[in-house]
Amino acid sequence: MPLVIGVLVETHPGERRLSVVPDVVKKYQGLGARVVMQKGAGLPAHFRDADFAEVTLVDRADEVCAEADVVFCVQPPAPATLAALKPGSVLLGLLQPWASAERARQLAERQVTAFALELLPRISRAQSMDVLSSQGAVAGYECALIAADHSPKFFPMLTYAAGTIRPAKVLVIGAGVAGLQAIATARRIGAMVEAYDVRPETREQVESLGAKFVDTGVAAAGSGGYARELTDEEKAKQAERLSRAVAQCDALITTAALPGRPAPRIIGADMIARMKPGAVVVDMAADTGGNVEGTVAGDKVWINDVLVIGPTNIPSRMPVHASEMLAKNLFNFISPFIRDGALALDWEDEVISGSCLTHAGEIRHPGVKQALGL
């Protein structure tokens, strides 16, 4: 019997991405796997059922689960869908492992081997599988466009018959994948861009994109490519020097996030009060509490004369390319273990062991167990 890969309709509110795309389906078929997909799964991402050649289409999620040996998802499936998964099957996707002890227990009790790609080890070999990076790039691009769309100023310099209009000044906080893409996009549109990150090694990357690095004198390089949490003294020093840069910008984009933790509060109400009238703030971390005091997730609020925008699930705003990138990440994760049309997981592999949430009736990831108190 060939390996059966299942694809579900995403049920999370506002989720428009898909875990496979037609070109990647062909790659699975080339490895000897068969794909079963719930009808209409691709429509929110603008993929029609007819685009998926030789895919078995079924009406309901439980029909997918009944056949599939491996089930892909973008967001965690509903509890009823998890209950329909076959014991011994594999669930792969963005599973929000720190969000729900109940979901982790259900997966373990169901004897499902679950891989949460948020847990993927930060190693060179895993870069092609890194969903957080690929979707962060989408989010960074989109946030720069949101800022430009809501700004009352032109982003690029504009020369017209009566004179010249200076370009807008954009400040990006956080120079990870999302921040760097926001910098690059704002620069392409024509803005003058400054950027700040507590990790000093990002300075070269920021400057290579044509932006100016804001030096606050605070360095907080951490492990795994993430920043460590700052001390109270460091936070005060950072805030004092960063406040001046914030006051001068026309658009502020914040991108600082820590997986499994609330977003660090970087921009206080006092900084917002010093911003120019009509300035725009786009808080990319709104989903996890926001980097900006006053951010409302999923809404736009005026604080004095500053517009603070808290977009959520930003990659879903660009579902075509976000789905293509996500589908390739999932393929790069699972395809090395598909041999002769069957799945053979290598538990000695750092990628497999490091990203495993549940297996053989147990919650396996020690960090998740500690965070959830299990």
Side-chain angles (χ1 to χ4, degrees):
M1 293 286 291
L3 178 73
V4 178
I5 293 172
V7 181
L8 300 167
V9 168
E10 295 293 327
T11 57
H12 190 276
E15 183 55 69
R16 299 174 60 199
R17 291 170 292 175
L18 184 64
S19 54
V20 298
V21 295
D23 286 347
V24 174
V25 166
K26 293 176 184 176
K27 293 182 178 181
Y28 287 121
Q29 292 167 339
L31 293 174
R34 183 168 69 88
V35 178
V36 176
M37 186 169 72
Q38 193 175 353
K39 290 179 182 177
L43 293 178
H46 308 292
F47 295 105
R48 301 162 299 179
D49 288 347
D51 295 331
F52 295 91
E54 299 181 25
V55 167
T56 302
L57 297 171
V58 297
D59 293 317
R60 303 189 311 273
D62 61 341
E63 294 179 273
V64 173
C65 295
E67 286 199 59
D69 304 302
V70 179
V71 175
F72 293 155
C73 63
V74 179
Q75 300 273 8
T81 302
L82 297 180
L85 292 169
K86 294 192 303 186
S89 62
V90 171
L91 179 66
L92 173 62
L94 290 163
L95 301 181
Q96 300 178 22
W98 301 282
S100 172
E102 182 180 350
R103 181 163 55 239
R105 288 194 192 97
Q106 184 180 9
L107 288 165
E109 290 169 0
R110 191 65 186 166
Q111 299 286 321
V112 171
T113 297
F115 294 105
L117 289 181
E118 297 96 325
L119 304 176
L120 196 71
R122 307 287 290 186
I123 57 176
S124 297
R125 188 170 64 82
Q127 288 180 356
S128 67
M129 315 166 192
D130 191 349
V131 170
L132 294 182
S133 290
S134 72
Q135 303 305 290
V138 178
Y141 174 86
E142 180 66 16
C143 280
L145 298 185
I146 293 171
D149 184 41
H150 288 81
S151 175
K153 296 184 175 183
F154 291 116
F155 263 37
M157 182 178 72
L158 184 70
T159 300
Y160 69 120
T164 300
I165 293 176
R166 290 177 57 82
K169 181 175 284 188
V170 175
L171 173 62
V172 178
I173 294 179
V177 172
L180 292 172
Q181 187 60 247
I183 293 166
T185 304
R187 285 279 298 154
R188 289 188 199 106
I189 299 173
M192 294 188 298
V193 182
E194 294 185 337
Y196 169 71
D197 196 292
V198 292
R199 298 166 299 165
E201 65 269 21
T202 62
R203 181 177 196 136
E204 184 178 346
Q205 295 170 299
V206 166
E207 292 177 344
S208 72
L209 294 172
K212 178 183 176 183
F213 189 82
V214 177
D215 189 354
T216 64
V218 175
S223 61
Y226 297 106
R228 63 172 174 82
E229 292 193 36
L230 301 179
T231 66
D232 290 341
E233 183 180 348
E234 288 172 327
K235 287 179 181 177
K237 184 177 181 181
Q238 172 190 257
E240 178 188 354
R241 300 192 180 183
L242 195 56
S243 182
R244 293 196 289 267
V246 171
Q248 295 170 3
C249 73
D250 300 299
L252 170 65
I253 301 170
T254 66
T255 71
L258 299 169
R261 303 181 194 175
R265 182 60 50 84
I266 299 172
I267 306 298
D270 57 329
M271 292 190 190
I272 297 292
R274 294 180 61 189
M275 294 185 76
K276 299 177 183 179
V280 175
V281 177
V282 181
D283 191 341
M284 193 185 299
D287 271 319
T288 54
N291 300 139
V292 180
E293 185 175 354
T295 293
V296 177
D299 207 352
K300 306 171 187 176
V301 295
W302 286 95
I303 300 177
N304 298 323
D305 198 12
V306 175
L307 179 60
V308 179
I309 305 170
T312 57
N313 197 8
I314 303 167
S316 270
R317 294 168 176 251
M318 303 193 67
V320 175
H321 282 158
S323 297
E324 289 182 6
M325 297 164 80
L326 177 65
K328 290 176 182 176
N329 291 145
L330 267 63
F331 178 82
N332 290 337
F333 179 94
I334 201 71
S335 61
F337 308 103
I338 301 176
R339 298 164 190 165
D340 300 322
L343 186 65
L345 297 174
D346 179 4
W347 290 101
E348 298 298 318
D349 190 293
E350 187 177 358
V351 167
I352 291 294
S353 59
S355 57
C356 181
L357 175 60
T358 62
H359 177 65
E362 298 178 350
I363 299 170
R364 287 291 186 93
H365 196 276
V368 173
K369 290 175 69 174
Q370 181 179 4
L372 296 178
L374 299 173

